[in-house]
Amino acid sequence: MTKVLVPAGPGPIDVCVRGQGRLVVMLPSLGRGAEDFDHLATAVADAGYRVACPQPRGLGAASVPEAEETLGALAADVAAVITELGESPAVIVGHAYGNRIARMTATNHPDLVESLVLLACGGFIPPTDEVAADLRLVFDPRHPPEVRLEAVGRAFFAPGNDPSPWADGWYGSLAQRQERATVSTPVDDWWEGGRAPMLAVQPADDVLAVPANADALVAAVGDRVEVVTVAGAGHALLPEQPEAVADIVIEWLRRRWAN
């Protein structure tokens, strides 16, 4: 793995790069960093691809802009990564909140995007009030760690799965900026992902991005999206079913780049 600084917008972006080959860019979940992709990125790199995992602005060397962020600005950062690495078009893998940025990138920069993999794709049909409250609790430092971990388990992990891999790695100020970027951008601006082919990887027990979101995406774009359901996983997905997710993503890449 190497780390590179990619010039973009208000300042450079810190990017972890693994492997060689066609480019795959991975975007993490709300308020979380690129480290969430360590297992998946290594597996995809070992399968023969170049994997770039940008840190969200505010983490690593990535500076925070003075102006309010929008999904369009976050997508411009992704476009800068693809352009700088010289490997377009790229496949973008977006986990949870990252799938919003992925779809915005495909909308605003279609020539840079070969296809999208949406892990736990939401943003259209909201969770219940109880689940939304647990999400807020996860980022609230006023609560003791054990209470926050219980909320992580309820909101992000399937029943019976161990939430401790995500006991930390939560960045409240990052999540707040990302939420403001979401509010500033109408869902219709990014929901259909431009013209990109999409694979929606739906956790069977996701209570944050409920499965009806994937159904709504199919209704909107038809056969431009495929849906694969992963059993025994909630919204976290990556630490819950790492091997299954890696197999699904690698199979998609091989199909997309068969020649």
Side-chain angles (χ1 to χ4, degrees), residues 1-258:
M1 181 184 72
T2 60
K3 290 191 176 183
V4 299
L5 289 178
V6 171
I13 301 167
D14 199 346
V15 185
C16 296
V17 182
R18 297 172 173 85
Q20 298 294 326
R22 290 178 167 174
L23 183 63
V24 182
V25 179
M26 298 185 176
L27 309 176
S29 181
L30 179 76
R32 296 191 62 83
E35 294 78 11
D36 283 353
F37 285 114
D38 282 351
H39 181 277
L40 180 60
T42 299
V44 171
D46 288 347
Y49 302 94
R50 191 179 192 197
V51 183
C53 297
Q55 286 286 18
R57 289 200 174 277
L59 303 185
S63 60
V64 177
E66 294 182 6
E68 196 68 45
E69 289 172 302
T70 65
L71 281 180
L74 299 180
D77 286 345
V78 179
V81 170
I82 298 171
T83 301
E84 177 70 15
L85 294 178
E87 296 286 351
S88 61
V91 172
I92 304 178
V93 179
H95 178 216
Y97 184 86
N99 90 86
R100 303 179 188 214
I101 305 172
R103 285 190 263 181
M104 191 82 258
T105 306
T107 300
N108 289 357
H109 310 276
D111 293 341
L112 298 180
V113 179
E114 193 284 327
S115 61
L116 304 175
V117 179
L118 312 176
L119 308 178
C121 67
F124 186 71
I125 298 171
T128 66
D129 291 344
E130 292 78 9
V131 173
D134 277 332
L135 176 61
R136 293 190 295 271
L137 195 159
V138 165
F139 288 101
D140 190 341
R142 295 173 297 179
H143 295 277
E146 62 272 19
V147 172
R148 295 168 69 188
L149 184 58
E150 290 173 358
V152 171
R154 292 190 297 268
F156 286 87
F157 285 74
N161 288 353
D162 177 15
S164 63
W166 274 21
D168 52 18
W170 302 97
Y171 300 94
S173 60
L174 170 62
Q176 290 174 0
R177 294 197 310 274
Q178 290 173 328
E179 289 283 14
R180 290 195 294 269
T182 297
V183 170
S184 73
T185 311
V187 173
D188 288 345
D189 284 3
W190 56 267
W191 178 254
E192 295 187 5
R195 60 173 185 257
M198 293 180 281
L199 174 68
V201 183
Q202 175 64 51
D205 297 300
D206 196 338
V207 295
L208 271 171
V210 296
N213 282 282
D215 297 337
L217 186 56
V218 171
V221 305
D223 59 8
R224 186 158 57 82
V225 61
E226 298 180 28
V227 180
V228 176
T229 301
V230 178
H235 197 62
L237 181 59
L238 291 170
E240 294 177 282
Q241 297 294 340
E243 303 302 333
V245 173
D247 288 346
I248 291 167
V249 172
I250 291 167
E251 194 270 338
W252 173 261
L253 296 173
R254 287 174 173 163
R255 284 169 49 201
R256 296 302 308 172
W257 283 322

